[in-house]
Amino acid sequence: MKNIGNIGVLTSGGDSPGMNAAIRAVVRTGIYLGCRVFGIHRGYQGMIEGDITELKSTDVSNIISRGGTILKTARSKDFMTLQGMEAAYRQLLKHDIDALVIIGGDGSFRGAVAFFEKYLIPAVGIPGTIDKDLVGTDFTIGFDTAVNTAMEAIDKIKDTAEAHDRLFLVEVMGRDAGYIALNSGIACGAEDILIPEEETRMDEVLERIAGDERRKKEVHIIVVAEGDDSSGIEAVAKAVSERFPAKDIRSCVLGHIQRGGAPSSADRVLASRLGYAAVNGLAEGKSQVMAGIVNGNVVFTPFKNVIKSRMPVQQDMLNMIKVLSI
Ligand code: ATP
């Protein structure tokens, strides 16, 4: 075991349910290994401004079940400048922090790579993002909770859609990734799912609705990821109403409710495993890697590989939707 002294932990980028469980695991594993652990508030911006406090074991009591992040999170333009990074480095020196655990998405790991190249502070990452678009892990912290939140909302929409024979368009989060749309759509039995990873052909979408009309299938739920290339659910709604003027069409944007709420058991366990693994990884001398779970086992993937590519969607899932919605 290498000797690590003081660890700094931060949450960065978009928040995701389960980040608190990860912070708790990092703090308690660090203390167990004889380290002092410091919480860096508001991501890299708080690192620049020295918004740093020591976390004791009791400071993370009762947070495993809470959504959001007790450390708060931020996007920091200043950290992308040399002066910002220099200021952040000086703050780490001031607090004697000699290793970092970064909980966030690929942007946060890009920041970690740039920082390490200049200042050689070892860092291990934990995938904290509702998007599940990172390579090197089968799941990211927050994804399961976000999908369940979207699923529960779509189930409710489906009830009311059925009562009125309506066609509903539901927008879920995912600017660049369609995993929330794909998984919540499959879980709710959606008729169609539009995601950024696959070109949306409006003529095909309309043809599928026409097929449902012919079969007298009155309820039609279309789940749309916010980053889909169809120019948003209002544009889809317009195209559908032009082709089916008699159809009662409604749209609903689920928005930020998908980020909040108590993390699911899967996210709490994932966050605990990865927080524990990240600190043990640092103690073993690992750096510039992200801790992830692949096939049930903890694996460490270099940041450079994580930020180089995106997790592709599984084609068999896309094919399956068309079969299961007939
Ligand atoms: P999410 O997936 O939820 O959006 P993320 O970690 O990808 O999370 P970003 O906003 O992309 O979120 O990145 C978080 C922060 O990381 C940025 O605000 C910035 O401070 C830092 N960062 C990103 N890229 C770089 C870079 N090339 N150099 C320095 N810092 C960076």
Side-chain angles (χ1 to χ4, degrees), residues 81-219:
T81 66
L82 286 179
Q83 298 93 309
M85 281 206 193
E86 177 66 31
Y89 177 63
R90 278 201 303 271
Q91 291 295 345
L92 296 189
L93 288 183
K94 195 169 142 190
H95 291 85
D96 264 341
I97 293 172
D98 44 29
L100 291 170
V101 175
I102 294 158
I103 308 168
D106 58 336
S108 303
F109 303 150
R110 224 168 250 124
V113 169
F115 192 65
F116 182 80
E117 276 168 4
K118 207 150 169 35
Y119 300 107
L120 301 176
I121 300 275
V124 171
I126 297 178
T129 165
I130 60 170
D131 287 336
K132 198 182 92 73
D133 54 348
L134 300 177
V135 298
T137 189
D138 291 341
F139 291 97
T140 58
I141 296 167
F143 170 73
D144 184 67
T145 308
V147 169
N148 278 299
T149 301
M151 180 191 74
E152 283 166 22
I154 300 167
D155 278 348
K156 288 174 182 160
I157 287 169
K158 210 169 170 181
D159 287 346
T160 170
E162 206 148 24
H164 292 273
D165 287 342
R166 281 178 176 147
L167 181 149
F168 255 96
L169 293 148
V170 187
E171 184 188 285
V172 299
M173 280 191 164
R175 268 197 317 255
D176 306 302
Y179 288 100
I180 295 177
L182 199 54
N183 285 269
S184 61
I186 289 171
C188 294
E191 276 61 40
D192 219 338
I193 303 170
L194 313 183
I195 57 172
E197 291 88 343
E198 202 189 40
E199 188 197 350
T200 294
R201 298 266 315 266
M202 264 324 288
D203 53 339
E204 291 177 2
V205 173
L206 297 174
E207 216 23 68
R208 284 194 283 274
I209 299 171
D212 276 7
E213 294 278 294
R214 282 194 292 276
R215 286 191 295 277
K216 302 272 179 259
K217 193 175 177 187
E218 303 288 0
V219 178

Side-chain angles (χ1 to χ4, degrees), residues 46-76:
M47 197 161 138
I48 292 170
E49 294 170 15
D51 194 356
I52 299 170
T53 49
E54 184 167 0
L55 295 173
K56 301 287 190 190
S57 185
T58 50
D59 293 324
V60 293
S61 297
N62 261 329
I63 65 167
I64 194 166
S65 56
R66 277 168 54 190
T69 156
I70 59 160
L71 292 177
K72 298 188 184 291
T73 181
R75 302 191 199 269
S76 169

